[in-house]
Amino acid sequence: MRRKRRDGTYPIILRLGHFQRTTSISTGQTCSVQDWDTDREKVRRGYKGAISALELNRSLELQKSSALEVINKLRTAGELDYVSLSQLKEKITGKSSYDSFYDFGDSLVAQMESANRYGSARAYKGVLGILKVFTKKRELKFNQVNYEFLKAFERFHLSKPGNTLNGLASYMRTIKAIYNKGIKEGLVERDSYPFHRYKIRTVPTEKRAIKVDLIKRIMELDIEPESALFHHRNYFLLSYMFMGMSFIDLAFLKVSNIVDGRIKFQRKKTSKLYDIKITEQLSEILNHYVFDKSGDEYIFPILRRDTLALKYKDEQWALKRYNKGLKKIAELCGIQERLTSYVSRHSFATHALFKNIPLAAISAMLGHSKLSTTQVYLKSLPSNVLDSYQEELNIL
């Protein structure tokens, strides 16, 4: 009886209580005080309205039963204690702040950026952008992201020259992640999950590792210190000698990360802690960069702007220039293999395997959170390595 209507009636509501808080859910129906039976929670028989008292009470009972069914499903699944009052109301009413796949995806990007997870935010934003091109910027509802939609997007992606199955797999994993988060938020039912039928496929990647003698050739390349290639060569060697350190982790290294002859930092992608000994070779390169710098300064001339968001943009721009520089270095060294920032990381992993270092140790060195990720790195071994293993088996 908080809000009286002009005709003298009051709205009939469902009162929802959760975690000692309450809210109301509109039934869309009204009646007068005289027509409402408080004890029985229904309208009296003498009710005079657009529909009969029997029909109105049946409608109210159905809405109440439907709400209780949602609550009981959550309780049975063990999820009731993990939703807020507002989330529970959304699940009951079927209404959400995000009835669009794009709006929900954009909200996830905003959350990631506010948590300084700019790498993940960039990946999500990129996939949402590609989907908007595919749908010609038309609205995309969660229930439209079904098996047929995913197959159509697959055909769209693979029809473009240069696009690969592995590139598609990367997009699909992000779409899957957004959909899974949507299920948790109650925006879509688990029964509608399209990835029960659609399987994300990949193909073995090209061999990215190069031989040790080619690494030495890069090391011995005579380059003027004033040249951009001088830094690009150093980044490649440092990545290799820092146990396959990624470019973004190199970019964010500060002088303060050097502690007692070791590099100590947290990996950006997995938050895994690194603690690497600075060898004589590493020290020789690092000394060129840390000379006359304070502990708060970045070691390498990669990040130049102030805010974290702009620093991530600096890193991406520098990475593009770095890969172009590696292409030039490959030409100068007579290296036929394609040289990229990933090659140093893959080369380290492969050469570590050559030295009979256990897979678990290689995984820890690379900062992988899962052993399966390391196995993907080492999946395509050069044929001469497989030949040597075969020979060892023949001897036995």
Side-chain angles (χ1 to χ4, degrees):
M1 293 177 64
R2 291 181 184 175
R3 296 180 180 86
K4 189 176 182 178
R5 292 165 58 100
R6 289 182 180 177
D7 61 2
T9 63
Y10 293 91
I12 303 172
I13 62 168
L14 293 172
R15 175 63 61 184
L16 175 66
H18 188 50
F19 289 138
Q20 299 181 331
R21 294 181 61 202
T22 63
T23 188
S24 62
I25 298 175
S26 172
T27 65
Q29 304 292 346
T30 66
C31 74
S32 65
V33 175
Q34 293 80 10
D35 287 329
W36 184 251
D37 187 332
T38 304
D39 294 331
R40 300 174 67 193
E41 293 186 339
K42 57 174 63 177
V43 295
R44 302 180 190 277
R45 287 184 181 179
Y47 167 78
K48 304 293 183 183
I51 59 176
S52 68
L54 182 63
E55 287 178 290
L56 177 53
N57 284 330
R58 187 177 294 159
S59 171
L60 295 174
E61 193 58 40
L62 282 172
Q63 289 187 60
K64 182 179 177 181
S65 297
S66 176
L68 287 170
E69 185 180 355
V70 171
I71 293 167
N72 288 331
K73 271 186 179 180
L74 291 169
R75 182 184 287 113
T76 302
E79 297 175 6
L80 187 59
D81 290 341
Y82 301 98
V83 293
S84 66
L85 179 66
S86 60
Q87 288 172 328
L88 184 56
K89 180 177 177 178
E90 285 178 359
K91 289 177 184 293
I92 290 171
T93 59
K95 294 177 182 177
S96 167
S97 306
Y98 308 106
D99 58 355
S100 150
F101 189 85
Y102 290 146
D103 288 347
F104 182 63
D106 289 339
S107 76
L108 294 177
V109 169
Q111 288 173 29
M112 290 171 183
E113 289 178 341
S114 65
N116 294 332
R117 295 174 55 203
Y118 290 100
S120 299
R122 186 169 59 243
Y124 274 53
K125 194 181 292 185
V127 170
L128 291 169
I130 294 294
L131 284 176
K132 286 172 184 176
V133 171
F134 171 59
T135 59
K136 298 178 181 178
K137 296 186 178 179
R138 289 193 294 267
E139 187 55 270
L140 181 64
K141 306 290 185 182
F142 263 94
N143 61 359
Q144 292 176 299
V145 184
N146 52 28
Y147 175 80
E148 288 73 22
F149 176 87
L150 296 179
K151 290 298 291 184
F153 178 65
E154 176 183 297
R155 291 191 293 271
F156 167 79
H157 173 82
L158 296 177
S159 67
K160 306 294 181 182
N163 284 354
T164 64
L165 198 60
N166 287 351
L168 174 69
S170 178
Y171 291 150
M172 287 299 187
R173 280 192 288 269
T174 302
I175 294 170
K176 184 178 180 180
I178 295 172
Y179 203 101
N180 282 330
K181 288 179 172 66
I183 290 174
K184 287 182 179 178
E185 292 289 331
L187 307 183
V188 63
E189 290 294 324
R190 193 176 296 277
D191 294 344
S192 306
Y193 193 54
F195 290 95
H196 286 316
R197 289 181 62 198
Y198 184 89
K199 303 302 177 187
I200 299 174
R201 298 173 294 141
T202 59
V203 294
T205 55
E206 61 177 313
K207 298 179 180 69
R208 289 174 171 171
I210 59 174
K211 295 178 180 179
V212 175
D213 64 325
L214 296 182
I215 301 281
K216 290 179 179 176
R217 200 180 296 178
I218 294 170
M219 184 183 292
E220 292 165 0
L221 184 65
D222 187 22
I223 309 175
E224 291 294 325
E226 295 79 18
S227 168
L229 291 184
F230 176 80
H231 300 299
H232 298 155
R233 188 268 305 278
N234 287 347
Y235 299 157
F236 186 87
L237 295 175
L238 286 166
S239 172
Y240 179 83
M241 290 188 277
F242 272 139
M243 302 193 301
M245 187 184 292
S246 65
F247 183 72
I248 190 168
D249 289 328
L250 274 176
F252 277 89
L253 281 182
K254 290 186 174 182
V255 176
S256 58
N257 290 119
I258 302 174
V259 182
D260 296 329
R262 306 183 73 85
I263 287 282
K264 297 184 179 184
F265 73 101
Q266 196 171 33
R267 193 179 175 204
K268 288 290 179 185
K269 188 173 182 180
T270 62
S271 297
K272 191 177 178 70
L273 292 172
Y274 263 103
D275 185 351
I276 306 172
K277 180 182 177 181
I278 298 176
T279 63
E280 191 176 330
Q281 282 182 320
L282 278 169
S283 182
E284 189 177 334
I285 300 174
L286 284 174
N287 287 341
H288 175 82
Y289 293 97
V290 300
F291 178 75
D292 209 25
K293 282 186 179 178
S294 64
D296 228 17
E297 290 184 80
Y298 291 107
I299 295 176
F300 306 108
I302 298 172
L303 310 180
R304 302 182 183 278
R305 289 183 282 183
D306 296 331
T307 67
L308 190 58
L310 290 175
K311 285 173 182 177
Y312 269 88
K313 288 183 179 180
D314 284 344
E315 181 270 333
Q316 281 294 294
W317 186 58
L319 179 59
K320 289 179 182 177
R321 287 182 297 147
Y322 173 39
N323 280 319
K324 286 182 180 178
L326 288 178
K327 185 177 179 180
K328 180 65 177 175
I329 287 171
E331 292 173 4
L332 293 172
C333 293
I335 298 172
Q336 294 182 348
E337 289 90 339
R338 185 165 171 257
L339 214 56
T340 69
S341 60
Y342 284 105
V343 171
S344 58
R345 189 167 169 80
H346 282 258
S347 297
F348 165 78
T350 303
H351 298 164
L353 188 69
F354 293 171
K355 297 290 185 181
N356 295 318
I357 295 174
L359 187 63
I362 297 173
S363 184
M365 289 171 165
L366 290 170
H368 288 159
S369 53
K370 294 180 181 178
L371 200 61
S372 58
T373 307
T374 312
Q375 288 170 327
V376 171
Y377 263 63
L378 302 171
K379 197 170 185 179
S380 301
L381 288 173
S383 56
N384 64 312
V385 177
L386 298 177
D387 291 344
S388 64
Y389 288 163
Q390 183 183 17
E391 288 171 8
E392 286 183 25
L393 290 170
N394 289 338
I395 293 169
L396 292 172

